[in-house]
Amino acid sequence: MPVAGRGLVGTGLAYAENIGAEAVQVFVANPRGWATPAGDPAQDLAFRAECERRELPAYVHAPYLINFGSDTAATRERSAESLRHSLVRGRAIGARGVVVHTGSAVGAGRRAEAMAQLRSDVLPLLDQAEADDLPPLLLEPTAGQGQSLCSRIEDLAEYAAALDLHPRLGVCLDTCHVFAAGHDLAAPGGVFAALDLLESSFGPGRLGLIHANDSKDVVGARKDRHANIGDGHIGADAFAELFRHPATAGVPLILETPDRSAAPGFGHAADVTTLKRLRTRVAD
């Protein structure tokens, strides 16, 4: 949700209410920069209190630049600082999790080295999260571009093992990403196959969040281009199937779809309505 202007409460929660959202995701820093703003403690507290009052789950998305597989020491250092900032601010606003992209091995033939870097850089952050009661870290597999460290769902097994299956570790499953990586959610049984694979690769009870995005491109395209629910190659029926699988019970869905109207929020409101309709259809 947007927060510019009147901040987390004045802009963000007002937007969430206007579109009928039941869960929200925010950035607490520029998603395309390294800045780590302190934020306004009073506003953070007000946001946390309002979310609790409305029973509105909130999540933080860490900046996109974070990559522990980089071959540049400065990038890794900034990545650690940026992720630590998102975790600490996440605690301040009462976030239930911090989403981070799983990154890539920059440079040819560096996968093993990149996984070792991941272990040395991220395990201390997970230990800090456990000691300081920071939110869980939710790994978001990518769409498979470049030398991705984790795009296919089965890649999560190696990724999680590198981090000792830490108790503060979970998964954010982006439907567009896994579709782009080659899991055909649109095929009959495709959603159940993907979720079953997730549980066998990472373990049960680790799915903490779903990014519900349709795809502008075909399965296996390795392109991260989101479409509105039902307007892409995944299709509305696949999103209905999400609600049927036991692994998704109680797991919030966050939309990162285009706002397809000149009226701010209209497109997002339509997608929220579509997901609620699909949920009701499954329940009936």
Side-chain angles (χ1 to χ4, degrees), residues 5-198:
R6 293 181 294 133
L8 288 166
V9 177
T11 298
L13 291 185
Y15 187 89
E17 185 172 6
N18 286 341
I19 67 172
E22 297 176 356
V24 295
Q25 177 179 273
V26 298
F27 288 102
V28 291
N30 180 350
R32 291 180 171 80
W34 291 118
T36 53
D40 180 344
Q43 185 179 141
D44 289 351
L45 186 61
F47 177 79
R48 179 173 188 153
E50 270 301 295
C51 286
E52 290 176 354
R53 185 183 70 81
R54 302 181 191 197
E55 298 183 340
L56 188 73
Y59 294 82
V60 168
H61 199 306
Y64 300 132
L65 294 180
I66 291 173
N67 183 18
F68 295 102
S70 173
D71 59 354
T72 304
T75 298
R76 290 171 56 197
E77 291 169 4
R78 288 171 175 169
S79 293
E81 180 183 1
S82 179
L83 185 52
R84 184 179 294 106
H85 171 262
S86 288
L87 287 165
V88 171
R89 284 292 309 283
R91 178 181 60 187
I93 67 171
R96 298 190 183 184
V98 172
V99 177
V100 64
H101 289 173
T102 47
S104 61
V106 179
R110 290 192 63 257
R111 181 176 180 85
E113 182 181 355
M115 294 301 290
Q117 290 174 186
L118 169 75
R119 180 178 178 83
S120 64
D121 294 346
V122 178
L123 267 180
L125 293 174
L126 290 168
D127 287 341
Q128 181 185 352
E130 187 172 31
D132 296 346
D133 197 26
L134 305 179
L137 186 64
L138 303 179
L139 304 174
E140 181 180 359
T142 61
Q145 315 96 310
Q147 302 298 315
S148 174
L149 291 176
C150 183
S151 56
R152 298 277 304 178
I153 292 174
E154 55 266 32
D155 295 340
L156 281 165
E158 179 188 7
Y159 208 96
L163 298 173
D164 292 343
L165 263 178
H166 199 283
R168 260 318 200 245
L169 199 60
V171 177
C172 172
L173 193 71
D174 186 306
T175 53
C176 178
H177 289 185
V178 299
F179 187 75
H183 298 281
D184 193 355
L185 303 181
V191 169
F192 267 59
L195 290 170
D196 287 346
L197 181 58
L198 172 63

